[in-house]
Amino acid sequence: MNKPGRIRVITLGLIQDGDRVFVSEGYDPVKQKTFYRALGGGIDFGETSLDALKREFQEELQAELTNITYLGCVENLFIYDGKAGHEVIQVYRCDFVEPRFYQLESVTFYEGTHAHQALWVKSDRFKTGELRLVPEAFVEYL
């Protein structure tokens, strides 16, 4: 989350393996609801969205990406933890270079001191609405 009244520009990587998609799990304490989102993060000044995507995966998972294809741009207006947020998201489809990531059920990664869980989830669980993928426009890419 960024400063109130600011638009955050981020990049996210959509990684699929058959009928599974690799996502991080989040929780909104105000809504008391779990949600899922593709991995990635903020784009630094002077950095391209592609370079930011590669950097974020390296920082969070020590993972390299390959077969990177630009899918489009999504604008996301949302409420998280009771606060309004606004993101402009550059979306890429990509794959892990290392096959070991496809064999993991889940992996813990850190953003600063906060631990997060990334895991493989069957795409149909998002398509049917059983689980919530954010932003909602991402379901169209599955």
Side-chain angles (χ1 to χ4, degrees):
M1 196 73 177
N2 58 319
K3 296 176 186 171
R6 303 298 297 249
I7 299 172
R8 185 170 181 228
V9 182
I10 68 171
T11 182
L12 297 178
L14 185 62
I15 300 178
Q16 293 180 279
D17 180 40
D19 64 347
R20 307 181 309 160
V21 61
F22 194 72
V23 291
S24 65
E25 185 176 77
Y27 183 76
D28 187 322
V30 171
K31 295 176 186 172
Q32 297 185 0
K33 291 189 178 180
T34 300
F35 61 90
Y36 300 85
R37 154 180 212 148
L39 277 74
I43 301 169
D44 294 333
F45 182 81
E47 181 180 47
T48 68
S49 60
L50 177 59
D51 288 341
L53 180 73
K54 292 176 183 178
R55 176 184 50 76
E56 287 287 342
F57 270 82
Q58 188 60 241
E59 288 175 359
E60 293 173 357
L61 298 173
Q62 292 73 54
E64 289 186 49
L65 300 174
T66 188
N67 303 323
I68 303 170
T69 306
Y70 181 72
L71 295 177
C73 184
V74 173
E75 191 164 8
N76 185 29
L77 301 169
F78 60 96
I79 304 291
Y80 172 74
D81 198 17
K83 299 176 187 107
H86 187 171
E87 298 171 327
V88 174
I89 307 167
Q90 298 296 326
V91 183
Y92 291 88
R93 184 177 309 281
C94 49
D95 295 315
F96 288 116
V97 168
E98 295 178 50
R100 72 179 178 93
F101 284 102
Y102 295 98
Q103 286 139 25
L104 297 172
E105 284 188 35
S106 67
V107 62
T108 300
F109 68 95
Y110 293 87
E111 288 183 294
T113 59
H114 299 287
H116 298 278
Q117 192 76 11
L119 63 157
W120 290 100
V121 176
K122 294 214 179 251
S123 301
D124 286 346
R125 297 183 75 188
F126 298 121
K127 293 176 186 176
T128 63
E130 176 189 348
L131 298 177
R132 184 167 179 244
L133 183 65
V134 297
E136 286 80 11
F138 262 57
V139 174
E140 298 171 20
Y141 292 117
L142 300 179

